[in-house]
Amino acid sequence: MIGLISATAAGAAARDRLAAAWPDRTRVYGGPVADAVRAAFAECDRLVCFLATGAVVRLVAPLLHGKADDPGVVCVDEAVRFAVSLLGGHGGGANELAREVGEVLGAEPVVTTATDAVGLPGLDALGLPVEGDVAAVSRALLDGEAVALRGEVTWPLPPLPVGAEGAYTVRVTDRIVEPADGEAVLRPPTLVVGVGASKGAPVEEVLALVEGALREAGLSSASVAELATVDAKAGEPGLVEAARRLGVPLVTHPAEDLAGVAVPNPSDAPLAAVGTASVAEAAALVGGGDLLVPKRKSAGSPAMATCAVVRRPGRGRLAVVGLGPGARDLLTPRARDELRRASVLVGLDQYVDQIRDLLRPGTRVLESGLGAEEERARTAVEEARRGQAVALIGSGDAGVYAMASPALAEASDDIDVVGVPGVTAALAAGALLGAPLGHDHVSISLSDLHTPWEVIERRVRAAAEADLVVTFYNPRSRGRDWQLPKALAVLAGHRAPGTPVGVVRNASRVDESVRLTTLAALDPATVDMMTVVTVGNTATRQIAGRMVTPRGYRWQEETR
């Protein structure tokens, strides 16, 4: 919950705007400001104070406990010019909150955390438990000193400028270790604990079993991702409470799924009770992985719980990112976030150049020239299979004549895949022309490098007969100069010579050009591969110098 506090009418107006935007996330604290801050500090995860930073500093100073416990605090000035991350930038979530508040209120987020200021991900902002000499290692990363990455388990981390062995280390492990001087230990959630329980099994017995199994195997409870069991035990109080105290979800599986998992220690008792010969081992192994702790029983007499521990391999992550048509302000916030999250970037060299300045230090860039789409797709998938966080970039929307198709054809279910949509060339061109795509429309690529011309021509003819607005991608190149005239001729067989045609080159870029012509007047020689050609349907009109296709055909009938 986010507590909102204000002291003046101007502050209250901005406060109420934020409360209206986030009704389920916020709580307004009224009354004397000092009392409101005190109550919100104790009850909320984060605070937004519409007060001067100095006033907030004085109010929260007596309330501070420690970096790990204090809520994040953001200050917004009464003119709503700035949203300042004042306290708990990483651990308290204030940095991200400042950015969110800025988006809602139109304020400039002010983040002074050292790592954020220079574009580095904070070790305490990776979403993983971290311990050890975090401050010293963070300083070393900031100062460009030698920091080694010691990955004992694989996990898709964002880019870190690590390299050769030195005095500082980032260690990624799920084992119980004592951090050395100059060492920060990250604990990824690699462990799954399968649990079985008799009816009424006490939570203390379940917890003692789980914690003892982890401790004796040298495994850290901070790396437990979930407790897993059979569906029939979804509401077992001892298991539900054990998961709550461990801070992990209780994940359940149907008995028939568990029955199909090969385990080393099956038993007749659970088979008779819940329909599977194994609960603990099977629930831990159902998603694959290495069995580190075979089934063991609790110390009760009789034993009322069993558990087993499996390490699942870290799944690589592939984000297929659409960069839009080229203009920086048409790059979506989600795409920007994925670029900064990726430790490996794969893309066409000219697209990499567009966004190179957005990458975090330490990002490994794998770029290649035109005509290597399949190779780039394979490279991106291979990197993800190695457990990396990968961004594969393409122009426009990555799913439209771009990299998503070849990448997903290569990818299997052993990696996580995220699609990040982008503004397409057709949409960017359409916005410049007016509203040519106001009714049913189709995009057709005239490049026959991947599609036989006979198929392309059949699609153009179908679009012409169906009276669809048509946007041609890849309309003409030096080696392909006859396809566009032939496609236009097909359309001319179904549309009047005066049908509006929009020709947009380099939409949204500094050298963009936009012109409106007709089907009869268009000279194909003026078109190249950087151009999008949009041909209207029988209802499309030129209105005040703009190309407009009405949403309904009644408009067309009324103007006849």
Side-chain angles (χ1 to χ4, degrees):
M1 186 62 65
I2 303 170
L4 306 181
I5 302 105
S6 63
T8 66
R15 176 202 68 193
D16 292 345
R17 285 171 56 197
L18 197 60
W22 298 339
D24 299 325
R25 301 176 60 192
T26 57
R27 180 187 304 162
V28 173
Y29 285 80
V33 172
D35 294 342
V37 169
R38 207 162 24 244
F41 201 90
E43 297 169 2
C44 297
D45 302 316
R46 290 173 289 175
L47 281 68
V48 179
C49 300
F50 295 86
L51 302 164
T53 55
V56 177
V57 168
R58 286 190 293 272
L59 288 169
V60 303
L63 309 176
L64 300 179
H65 294 291
K67 187 174 182 179
D69 303 314
D70 296 330
V73 178
V74 170
C75 290
V76 180
D77 64 290
E78 294 187 356
V80 197
R81 295 173 301 168
F82 304 106
V84 182
S85 174
L86 183 68
L87 177 70
H90 288 161
N95 290 353
E96 182 58 33
L97 180 59
R99 296 185 182 101
E100 292 184 78
V101 170
E103 289 179 6
V104 173
L105 300 181
E108 179 72 22
V110 179
V111 176
T112 59
T113 313
T115 49
D116 294 85
V118 299
L120 288 173
L123 295 177
D124 54 354
L126 300 180
L128 302 178
V130 59
E131 60 191 68
D133 207 348
V134 178
V137 175
S138 297
R139 280 196 303 271
L141 290 169
L142 286 167
D143 293 341
E145 297 187 40
V147 178
L149 179 64
R150 182 177 172 187
E152 298 176 7
V153 292
T154 301
W155 198 257
L157 296 172
L160 293 169
V162 293
E165 292 290 336
Y168 301 95
T169 304
V170 176
R171 186 174 182 181
V172 186
T173 184
D174 55 15
R175 295 199 168 274
I176 298 172
V177 295
E178 186 65 33
D181 290 340
E183 182 176 65
V185 177
L186 293 171
R187 300 203 176 279
T190 56
L191 304 177
V192 177
V193 180
V195 288
S198 301
K199 185 176 181 179
V203 62
E204 290 77 11
E205 185 170 339
V206 175
L207 280 175
L209 172 65
V210 170
E211 292 171 347
L214 292 169
R215 184 172 56 253
E216 292 176 23
L219 300 171
S220 172
S221 60
S223 284
V224 174
E226 64 187 52
L227 295 190
T229 192
V230 67
D231 277 353
K233 296 296 179 178
E236 185 62 43
L239 298 184
V240 172
E241 178 61 16
R244 188 193 70 79
R245 293 192 194 179
L246 288 168
V248 299
L250 178 65
V251 178
T252 64
H253 303 279
E256 54 267 28
D257 290 355
L258 300 187
V261 178
V263 297
N265 300 294
S267 172
D268 292 334
L271 181 61
V274 295
T276 173
S278 173
V279 172
E281 289 181 338
L285 284 166
V286 69
D290 299 322
L291 183 63
L292 304 181
V293 180
K295 182 180 75 174
R296 56 186 293 170
K297 296 181 178 180
S298 59
S301 183
M304 299 189 72
T306 58
C307 83
V309 183
V310 162
R311 176 186 289 135
R312 288 183 183 169
R315 290 172 62 88
R317 187 176 190 276
L318 173 61
V320 188
V321 181
L323 300 180
R328 180 59 60 85
D329 59 354
L330 291 182
L331 178 69
T332 68
R334 187 179 301 179
R336 192 181 298 254
D337 289 345
E338 289 294 346
L339 293 176
R340 294 175 64 78
R341 177 174 180 169
S343 59
V344 179
L345 182 86
V346 182
L348 180 67
D349 48 13
Q350 64 190 56
Y351 297 152
V352 172
D353 289 340
Q354 290 178 22
I355 48 82
R356 197 182 298 271
D357 62 301
L358 297 178
L359 304 178
R360 290 188 187 273
T363 304
R364 184 156 53 96
V365 177
L366 305 176
E367 54 189 308
S368 53
L370 286 168
E373 288 87 354
E374 287 80 6
E375 179 186 344
R376 284 195 291 276
R378 282 193 295 271
T379 297
V381 171
E382 288 169 2
E383 290 291 334
R385 284 185 174 138
R386 295 189 183 106
Q388 301 293 325
V390 182
L392 174 63
I393 59 173
S395 66
D397 182 281
V400 179
Y401 303 124
M403 295 304 303
S405 293
L408 269 61
E410 290 283 339
S412 53
D413 62 0
D414 57 345
I415 60 173
D416 296 324
V417 178
V418 177
V420 182
V423 177
T424 66
L427 294 177
L432 292 168
L433 292 167
L437 308 182
H439 208 288
D440 297 337
H441 54 276
V442 63
S443 295
I444 299 176
S445 171
L446 295 184
S447 171
D448 55 3
L449 294 177
H450 300 285
T451 307
W453 173 253
E454 294 75 16
V455 175
I456 296 172
E457 186 175 15
R458 186 166 67 246
R459 291 171 180 171
V460 174
R461 194 173 304 283
E465 293 172 353
D467 197 30
L468 297 171
V469 174
V470 181
T471 297
F472 289 123
Y473 279 71
N474 306 312
R476 184 177 180 273
S477 67
R478 292 177 182 175
R480 294 187 301 100
D481 57 1
W482 57 268
Q483 287 91 338
L484 179 59
K486 192 157 187 175
L488 294 173
V490 171
L491 291 176
H494 298 266
R495 296 176 196 183
T499 299
V501 176
V503 182
V504 179
R505 188 177 189 277
N506 283 333
S508 86
R509 302 188 183 189
V510 293
D511 57 344
E512 76 177 14
S513 64
V514 182
R515 58 191 172 96
L516 197 54
T517 182
T518 65
L519 189 56
L522 175 62
D523 179 4
T526 63
V527 173
D528 62 13
M529 284 290 285
M530 306 305 292
T531 305
V532 172
V533 177
T534 301
V535 182
N537 64 12
T538 57
T540 305
R541 297 288 184 268
Q542 288 193 39
I543 302 175
R546 303 180 186 93
M547 185 175 178
V548 180
T549 302
R551 288 191 63 189
Y553 284 93
R554 293 177 182 173
W555 181 85
Q556 178 188 15
E557 293 169 356
E558 290 168 359
T559 57
R560 283 178 177 172

